[in-house]
């Protein structure tokens, strides 16, 4: 780093994205992308007349896309906020609702960006331990001390894939009316209950979703939030103080087209859920322990092979999965659900690795 960097940022440990290697062709099961392409309508929209208008700034109010989202989710335009991926919205929320001497609470095993944002803004972060079975205990978040601040819960949680139901989320909301409760629903379309309808009832609820996973648009960078109009105004204040044109023309057109072809994407979600169930069953036949998941990934471990070694062995055979070094989950790997063919290929490689281990033990 240079000698000019703000000293307060010198020790910042930044977020580590899933690896994107270029040294060989891999089956990528490490970053929770969709295995299916965007809908034909999305591809057509990207190649439409909007491309000819790239010399002009996009609509900073993202009116057309907001209206499409409002219609899809049964809210008003004033209840929708859009930004450059859901991470951008999380960034704004930490700044708006937790910085300035307040606190943020989130699970100790969850999306790694939460701690990064807390460190970036000098926020006092309270990591709340998950239960022994990796579930979130809602009572841990009820009637928290301190006035103000932010509660941030991924639902489904990452990397576990486990969920809270709407009733549990409502309990947290009711007992923390002086705090903003952010529910990060990046994976909600794969079998979890959405808290979005509760935004009509609770003015302290902020629900964040993304087009990256279920709508096959990770490369487009598009996220949205739903909340009471006053919370949306708070986020808009930060947006217009940083980058008012944070959704480009092509992404906006793609987002509108994705909502118009919602059936295509929801059908893909069903296919992913079916493949998830198949993969979980097949791994369990091989002796793996697999957590029940409502996301487009599973979290699995085996008593027959160390989690880190399985990740390395699969990578050497052309398959990428995600391994975390954090002590409590180091035996596990997070495996994105790809196509049925991709999962079958992964399972075959795992069988090879386990058989090679068994043969080695016999020789010794």
């Amino acid at each position: 780093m240079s000698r000019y960097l703000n000293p307060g940022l010198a020790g910042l440990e930044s977020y580590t994205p899933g690896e994107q290697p270029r040294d060989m062709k891999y089956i990528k099961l490490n970053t929770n992308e969709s295995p299916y392409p965007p809908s034909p309508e999305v591809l057509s929209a990207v190649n439409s007349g909007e491309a000819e208008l790239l010399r002009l700034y996009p609509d900073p109010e993202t009116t057309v896309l907001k209206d499409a989202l409002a219609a899809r989710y049964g809210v008003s335009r004033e209840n929708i906020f859009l930004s450059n991926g859901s991470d951008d919205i999380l960034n704004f929320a930490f700044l708006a609702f937790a910085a300035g001497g307040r606190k943020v609470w989130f699970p100790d095993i969850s999306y790694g960006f939460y701690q990064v944002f807390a460190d970036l803004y000098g926020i006092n972060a309270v990591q709340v331990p998950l239960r022994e079975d990796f579930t979130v205990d809602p009572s841990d978040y009820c009637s928290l001390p301190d006035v103000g601040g932010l509660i941030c819960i991924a639902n489904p949680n990452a990397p576990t894939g486990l969920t809270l139901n709407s009733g549990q989320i409502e309990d947290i909301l009711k007992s923390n009316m002086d705090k903003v409760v952010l529910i990060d629903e990046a994976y909600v379309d794969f079998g979890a209950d959405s808290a979005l309808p509760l935004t009509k009832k609770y003015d302290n609820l902020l629900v964040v979703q993304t087009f990256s996973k279920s709508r096959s648009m990770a490369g487009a960078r598009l996220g949205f939030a739903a909340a009471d109009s006053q919370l949306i105004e708070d986020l808009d204040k930060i947006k217009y103080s940083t980058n008012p044109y944070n959704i480009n023309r092509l992404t906006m057109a793609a987002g509108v087209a994705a909502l118009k072809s919602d059936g295509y994407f929801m059908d893909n979600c069903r296919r992913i859920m079916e493949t998830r169930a198949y993969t979980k069953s097949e791994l369990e036949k091989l002796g793996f322990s697999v957590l029940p998941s409502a996301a487009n990934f599973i979290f699995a471990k085996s008593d027959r092979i160390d989690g880190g070694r399985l990740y390395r062995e699969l990578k050497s055979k052309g398959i990428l999965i995600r391994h975390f070094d954090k002590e409590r989950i180091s035996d596990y790997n997070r495996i994105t659900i790809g196509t049925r063919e991709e999962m079958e290929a992964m399972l075959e490689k795992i069988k090879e690795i386990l058989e090679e281990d068994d043969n080695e033990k016999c020789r010794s």
Side-chain angles (χ1 to χ4, degrees):
M1 69 184 71
S2 78
R3 67 181 186 273
Y4 307 106
L5 181 67
N6 177 348
L9 299 179
L12 181 67
E13 189 172 332
S14 58
Y15 176 72
T16 303
E19 59 189 319
Q20 306 280 355
R22 298 287 185 267
D23 59 316
M24 61 183 282
K25 185 175 181 180
Y26 291 92
I27 293 176
K28 282 189 83 278
L29 306 176
N30 66 324
T31 49
N32 300 339
E33 297 147 317
S34 174
Y36 303 112
S39 69
E41 291 85 353
V42 169
L43 298 177
S44 176
V46 171
N47 294 313
S48 71
E50 285 297 315
E52 298 175 6
L53 297 174
L54 287 178
R55 63 188 177 83
L56 302 175
Y57 286 112
D59 172 18
E61 296 184 7
T62 59
T63 306
V64 176
L65 183 50
K66 276 187 178 179
D67 285 344
L69 279 164
R72 166 68 173 80
Y73 291 101
V75 296
S76 298
R77 181 194 301 173
E78 293 74 22
N79 302 121
I80 296 292
F81 178 80
L82 285 153
S83 202
N84 187 250
S86 60
D87 288 338
D88 211 28
I89 304 174
L90 296 174
N91 181 19
F92 289 175
F94 272 65
L95 177 59
F97 308 121
R102 290 165 291 180
K103 291 182 180 179
V104 61
W105 293 261
F106 51 82
D108 65 332
I109 297 172
S110 194
Y111 186 29
F113 236 140
Y114 301 155
Q115 185 62 55
V116 174
F117 288 137
D119 292 341
L120 180 63
Y121 296 118
I123 299 167
N124 183 357
V126 181
Q127 294 194 19
V128 182
L130 295 178
R131 291 167 168 153
E132 194 63 31
D133 62 358
F134 295 117
T135 57
V136 171
D137 186 344
S139 66
D140 288 339
Y141 296 88
C142 290
S143 302
L144 291 170
D146 304 292
V147 175
L150 178 68
I151 297 168
C152 187
I153 297 175
N155 195 50
N157 195 17
T160 66
L162 300 173
T163 65
L164 294 174
N165 60 46
S166 295
Q168 293 170 314
I169 291 171
E170 192 164 10
D171 288 342
I172 296 171
L173 286 163
K174 287 187 293 189
S175 67
N176 291 282
M177 295 303 294
D178 64 335
K179 297 175 179 62
V180 173
V181 178
L182 188 159
I183 304 298
D184 183 355
E185 295 189 341
Y187 304 101
V188 73
D189 290 324
F190 301 101
D193 290 339
S194 176
L196 199 150
L198 294 175
T199 59
K200 298 178 181 179
K201 188 175 178 181
Y202 296 95
D203 65 2
N204 62 326
L205 173 61
L206 177 66
V207 174
V208 180
Q209 293 192 18
T210 178
F211 280 64
S212 293
K213 315 300 181 181
S214 60
R215 292 188 172 95
S216 305
M217 285 173 51
R221 311 311 304 131
L222 180 60
F224 73 95
D228 179 83
S229 60
Q230 291 188 331
L231 286 185
I232 299 301
E233 288 175 12
D234 296 338
L235 296 175
D236 272 332
K237 181 182 289 289
I238 297 176
K239 169 187 169 178
Y240 283 95
S241 300
T242 52
N243 180 11
Y245 302 106
N246 61 355
I247 306 293
N248 68 65
R249 285 183 171 275
L250 298 184
T251 293
M252 205 178 311
V256 172
L259 292 168
K260 289 180 179 177
S261 50
D262 204 48
Y264 168 86
F265 292 107
M266 295 306 105
D267 185 57
N268 284 345
C269 288
R270 286 189 289 273
R271 294 162 69 187
I272 289 169
M273 291 162 66
E274 290 170 0
T275 306
R276 183 183 70 202
Y278 161 78
T279 306
K280 180 177 186 291
S281 175
E282 293 300 307
L283 283 172
E284 287 173 341
K285 291 176 184 176
L286 295 174
F288 279 74
S289 299
V290 185
L291 297 186
S293 173
N296 68 336
F297 57 82
I298 53 177
F299 204 46
K301 73 169 184 175
S302 171
D303 291 335
R304 298 173 62 184
I305 185 169
D306 169 78
R309 183 163 161 257
L310 178 62
Y311 153 75
R312 292 188 295 273
E313 293 282 350
L314 282 174
K315 183 176 180 179
S316 72
K317 295 177 181 290
I319 296 175
L320 288 177
I321 59 177
R322 189 78 187 264
H323 181 254
F324 300 91
D325 291 327
K326 198 166 186 175
E327 182 178 355
R328 192 174 166 195
I329 57 173
S330 61
D331 289 337
Y332 286 82
N333 285 295
R334 192 194 68 193
I335 304 169
T336 302
I337 302 301
T339 64
R340 174 70 174 253
E341 293 73 22
E342 288 174 330
M343 305 317 287
E344 288 174 347
M346 180 200 70
L347 289 164
E348 284 304 311
K349 295 302 181 184
I350 289 176
K351 290 175 185 176
E352 286 180 16
I353 293 166
L354 295 178
E355 288 173 3
E356 289 166 2
D357 271 10
D358 289 342
N359 292 336
E360 184 65 28
K361 289 175 183 175
C362 288
R363 284 193 292 269
S364 59

